Amino acid sequence: MLEISTGVWLLTIGVIVGLLALDLAVAAAKPHAVGFREATAWSVFYIAVAIVFGLVFMSQAGTDFGVEYFAGYLVEKSLSVDNLFVFVIIMTTFAVPAEHQHKVLTFGIIMALILRAIFIVVGATLLNLFTFMFLLFGLLLIWTAIQLFRHRDEDPDVQENGLVKLTRRVLPVTTDYVGGRLTVRHQGRRMVTPLFIVLIAIGSSDLLFALDSIPAVFGVTEQAYIVFTANAFALLGLRALFFLVKGLLDRLVYLSTGLSVVLAFIGVKLVLHWGHTVWDWVPQIETVFSLGVIVVVLAVTTIASLVKTRRDPSAKAHPGALRVTKTPPQEGAEEEPRPPR
């Protein structure tokens, strides 16, 4: 088992909170549309930080734990790209102005970190108490992979999100973004802006992604510290990555297929691990082999996607869904939210 002292935990959390505060300060200091050069610089910075941390961690904890970190980081980073798809759909559906997308993305990252930290604590506790949780997590990932593959050419219907519908039903909503504020007083009434609804949609999508990503990363490591750091460093660069690859997301037409393969593989790995705890003859999949499979699947997915879109420019990527969804509305076709009468 990996022994991490309280001091190391506090130092790690402090570094992550500091990086998050930096991200938030940059987003809030001067709201603006992020250009390609700025997005590239921040993306390189966050990826470099994650790699440096991994190398330092490997030198201190050993190669095996270092490989587990990098495998977990790759899994979470690939799932984060799928999360970006949903962010794009949400922002397009609600026509979020470019200068306010910083705020939405930063909120999404904070919510994702909080929710995943909660799920990490719960997941680690359950795995320590009940061995059969490996079986349940594995079956959950296999089911998710099957559903994602079946609905790989669909987009989630943001307007049918239960929390979004409930919020619109109980709270009055303004017709515009009012300078990026969340609430405003209008004719003596306190009302929420569309940005508030967007944050509800982002938060609920973060919850769904946390339900998948935490079992997935526990499939490559049982160490809560590695699970937390892999998630945190994968999420911290999400804001910059959004602006960097926003124009390229539509070209990753096989991303959902690749993710379904990765999730199914990790699900099988978890089931085999559970089986090995019951019967010694059941084989286990080594983490180094898992890392190789993940890298190969993601590389093949990316290359095949780019080849497909070059041959067929009309091909468009979709984030996939876990159930049948309605046909998503075309951009600009949605009716703007109106204040109640």
Side-chain angles (χ1 to χ4, degrees), residues 1 50 60 91 154 156 158 176 203 246 266 272 292 297 315:
M1 290 291 292
Q60 298 298 313
M91 292 192 196
E154 299 178 27
V158 179
D176 55 54
K246 184 168 59 173
I266 297 175
L272 289 176
V297 170

Side-chain angles (χ1 to χ4, degrees), residues 211-233:
L211 288 172
D212 290 334
S213 66
I214 298 306
V217 74
F218 270 117
V220 296
T221 179
E222 298 176 35
Q223 311 303 323
Y225 180 80
I226 298 177
V227 173
F228 175 73
T229 52
N231 267 276
F233 285 113

Side-chain angles (χ1 to χ4, degrees), residues 132-152:
F132 70 86
M133 289 304 300
F134 286 104
L135 174 63
L136 294 183
F137 280 4
L139 294 177
L140 172 63
L141 289 180
I142 293 172
W143 176 84
T144 301
I146 293 172
Q147 292 297 101
L148 183 61
F149 183 79
R150 289 179 59 197
H151 307 298
R152 61 190 180 279

Side-chain angles (χ1 to χ4, degrees), residues 6-327:
T6 302
V8 173
W9 267 105
L10 292 176
L11 177 62
T12 304
I13 293 173
V15 170
I16 291 169
V17 170
L19 290 170
L20 184 61
L22 174 65
D23 208 33
L24 184 61
V26 170
K30 185 180 179 182
H32 63 287
V34 179
F36 180 81
R37 181 176 298 179
E38 179 182 351
T40 301
W42 281 109
S43 295
V44 170
F45 169 74
Y46 282 116
I47 292 174
V49 168
I51 293 174
V52 169
F53 171 84
L55 293 175
V56 173
F57 175 69
M58 182 181 290
S59 68
Q60 298 298 313
T63 303
D64 291 342
F65 288 131
V67 170
E68 290 182 7
Y69 164 78
F70 281 110
Y73 177 75
L74 273 179
V75 169
E76 293 305 313
K77 201 67 175 178
S78 60
L79 289 171
S80 295
V81 173
D82 200 43
N83 206 346
L84 288 180
F85 265 115
V86 179
F87 284 2
V88 169
I89 291 172
I90 291 173
M91 292 192 196
T92 300
T93 301
F94 292 97
V96 179
E99 63 269 23
H100 301 317
Q101 292 179 4
H102 257 306
K103 183 182 296 185
V104 173
L105 288 168
T106 303
F107 171 83
I109 293 170
I110 294 173
M111 281 298 298
L113 281 171
I114 293 173
L115 291 171
R116 295 186 189 197
I118 294 172
F119 278 98
I120 288 169
V121 173
V122 174
T125 303
L126 290 175
L127 290 175
N128 287 330
L129 293 176
F130 309 106
T131 305
F132 70 86
M133 289 304 300
F134 286 104
L135 174 63
L136 294 183
F137 280 4
L139 294 177
L140 172 63
L141 289 180
I142 293 172
W143 176 84
T144 301
I146 293 172
Q147 292 297 101
L148 183 61
F149 183 79
R150 289 179 59 197
H151 307 298
R152 61 190 180 279
D153 294 325
E154 299 178 27
D155 295 330
D157 191 343
V158 179
Q159 300 288 4
E160 291 300 311
N161 182 296
L163 285 176
V164 171
K165 294 173 69 175
L166 177 63
T167 302
R168 277 182 162 159
R169 187 177 298 119
V170 300
L171 295 176
V173 185
T174 63
T175 57
D176 55 54
Y177 280 86
V178 197
R181 298 172 61 182
L182 296 179
T183 64
V184 64
R185 183 168 294 279
H186 178 70
Q187 296 181 350
R189 304 176 63 189
R190 176 64 63 181
M191 304 178 69
V192 300
T193 68
L195 189 61
F196 184 89
I197 305 297
V198 171
L199 297 187
I200 293 294
I202 292 286
S204 59
S205 71
D206 281 337
L207 176 61
L208 293 177
F209 274 97
L211 288 172
D212 290 334
S213 66
I214 298 306
V217 74
F218 270 117
V220 296
T221 179
E222 298 176 35
Q223 311 303 323
Y225 180 80
I226 298 177
V227 173
F228 175 73
T229 52
N231 267 276
F233 285 113
L235 288 172
L236 280 175
L238 199 62
R239 180 189 63 83
L241 188 63
F242 171 85
F243 293 105
L244 178 63
V245 305
K246 184 168 59 173
L248 300 176
L249 285 175
D250 281 346
R251 300 180 64 187
L252 298 177
V253 293
Y254 294 126
L255 177 63
S256 295
T257 301
L259 287 179
S260 65
V261 172
V262 170
L263 292 177
F265 171 78
I266 297 175
V268 171
K269 183 178 185 296
L270 282 171
V271 172
L272 289 176
H273 178 77
W274 169 81
H276 186 76
T277 63
V278 180
W279 305 286
D280 290 339
W281 53 266
V282 175
Q284 294 195 85
I285 301 176
E286 296 298 327
T287 304
V288 174
F289 179 76
S290 299
L291 177 60
V293 170
I294 294 168
V295 170
V296 169
V297 170
L298 294 179
V300 170
T301 297
T302 303
I303 295 172
S305 295
L306 296 179
V307 170
K308 171 67 175 178
T309 52
R310 175 171 292 183
R311 293 179 177 177
D312 181 11
S314 64
K316 181 182 178 182
H318 300 273
L322 298 184
R323 59 186 177 87
V324 177
T325 59
K326 298 178 181 178
T327 302

